[in-house]
């Protein structure tokens, strides 16, 4: 409130409680200065249910003591707190990758609610109450963020991967999901030919179209173990 608003508040207060009236010019000026000091950030009235006159009227009706500016300031703080308690931050429209802009928008909307320029956003109360799920959770449900049509198209370019995917889909053990004990092909790599040689180090490089049988056995055992759990 500015000086003029504070003077109007004091005139209103004096009408309801004549004990608050200061008669001397200097006294009245001091009183306005004191009230304005404490009520500088308190609005006269907002569209959101705050009116300083209501506070004064309620005090005069409830209390035997003359109202002090601190009484008004405390009521405003309680009003502010109550509004913020009812407010749940709406999702900012700012780019989430810009934390500064995101935070600034949140603070702006909270401040607007606090000072009574905007109504509290009770988003959580009017929706069904489900917590917004994060992206990870939704992805787990859908399985992939790549549409299935695109996956089918991609399959042409990565036959090994797509063979594994269709194996998993059909319930066939995923042999490439385990390391091959026979040719030591690591997880995800196809088996390689092993030259039948007494020398262990001499190993062929040709890729086998199918995994070694022992690898399939290993994958089957692992799948069955997972199913049993
Ligand atoms: Zn192998």
């Amino acid at each position: 409130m500015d000086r003029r608003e504070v003077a109007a508040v004091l005139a209103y207060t004096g009408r309801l409680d004549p004990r608050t009236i200061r008669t001397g010019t200097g006294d009245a000026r001091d009183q306005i200065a004191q009230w304005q000091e404490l009520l500088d950030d308190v609005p006269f009235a907002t569209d959101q249910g705050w009116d300083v006159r209501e506070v004064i009227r309620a005090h005069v009706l409830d209390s035997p003591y003359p109202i002090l500016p601190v009484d008004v300031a405390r009521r405003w703080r309680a009003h502010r707190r109550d509004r913020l308690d009812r407010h749940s931050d709406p999702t900012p429209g700012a780019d989430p990758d810009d934390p500064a802009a995101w935070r600034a928008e949140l603070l702006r909307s909270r401040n607007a609610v606090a000072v009574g320029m905007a109504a509290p956003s009770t988003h959580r109360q009017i929706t069904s109450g489900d917590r917004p799920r994060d992206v990870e959770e939704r992805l787990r449900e859908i399985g992939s963020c790549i549409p299935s049509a695109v996956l089918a198209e991609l399959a042409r370019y990565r036959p090994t991967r797509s063979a594994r995917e269709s194996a998993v889909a059909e319930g066939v053990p995923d042999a490439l999901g385990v390391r091959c004990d026979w040719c030591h092909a690591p997880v995800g790599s196809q088996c390689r030919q092993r030259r039948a040689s007494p020398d262990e180090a001499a190993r062929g490089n040709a890729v086998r179209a199918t995994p070694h049988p022992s690898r399939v056995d290993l994958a089957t055992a692992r799948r069955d173990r997972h199913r049993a759990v």
Side-chain angles (χ1 to χ4, degrees):
M1 287 189 284
D2 59 26
R3 261 184 79 84
R4 270 181 38 210
E5 287 169 325
V6 168
V9 166
L10 281 169
Y12 178 78
T13 310
R15 279 209 299 280
L16 300 189
D17 182 358
R19 291 175 297 173
T20 60
I21 298 174
R22 299 287 173 272
T23 43
T25 319
D27 287 351
R29 201 182 300 133
D30 287 350
Q31 191 189 25
I32 291 176
Q34 185 209 10
W35 277 62
Q36 218 237 308
E37 180 77 33
L38 282 163
L39 303 181
D40 188 39
D41 61 343
V42 177
F44 188 86
T46 70
D47 291 337
Q48 307 294 329
W50 168 264
D51 190 324
V52 72
R53 288 164 298 187
E54 296 280 331
V55 174
I56 288 159
R57 196 168 165 275
H59 182 94
V60 171
L61 289 173
D62 290 342
S63 169
Y65 303 106
I67 190 167
L68 298 171
V70 71
D71 294 322
V72 178
R74 281 193 194 126
R75 284 293 300 274
W76 166 247
R77 283 175 166 232
H79 176 82
R80 215 184 118 106
R81 221 169 23 242
D82 173 60
R83 295 174 61 74
L84 281 179
D85 282 350
R86 281 186 289 136
H87 177 66
S88 56
D89 294 311
T91 307
D95 179 0
D97 289 333
D98 185 348
W102 179 272
R103 192 165 169 277
E105 192 177 332
L106 273 184
L107 287 179
R108 269 200 304 279
S109 84
R110 265 184 221 177
N111 194 46
V113 169
V115 300
M117 276 161 54
S121 159
T122 49
H123 174 75
R124 281 201 282 266
Q125 287 163 7
I126 50 180
T127 58
S128 57
D130 284 343
R131 268 184 329 106
R133 293 178 310 160
D134 63 24
V135 176
E136 295 295 323
E137 203 177 332
R138 257 177 284 176
L139 264 183
R140 268 201 300 280
E141 215 163 85
I142 302 166
S144 169
C145 56
I146 306 174
S148 48
V150 177
L151 272 181
E153 190 62 25
L154 281 174
R156 294 196 296 135
Y157 299 101
R158 29 174 221 181
T160 310
R161 169 80 191 267
S162 57
R164 289 184 67 190
E165 280 171 355
S166 49
V168 171
E170 287 159 21
V172 176
D174 176 24
L176 268 56
V178 295
R179 182 176 178 275
C180 181
D181 283 343
W182 183 254
C183 69
H184 305 298
V187 170
S189 294
Q190 283 173 280
C191 281
R192 289 182 179 274
Q193 301 285 6
R194 241 179 75 163
R195 206 174 284 149
S197 143
D199 180 5
E200 272 290 313
R203 205 175 295 150
N205 259 340
V207 169
R208 277 173 58 98
T210 54
H212 285 115
S214 64
R215 194 179 191 181
V216 176
D217 291 347
L218 206 63
T220 310
R222 201 178 78 139
R223 182 199 62 184
D224 294 345
R225 215 165 42 240
H226 277 282
R227 283 189 178 167
V229 171

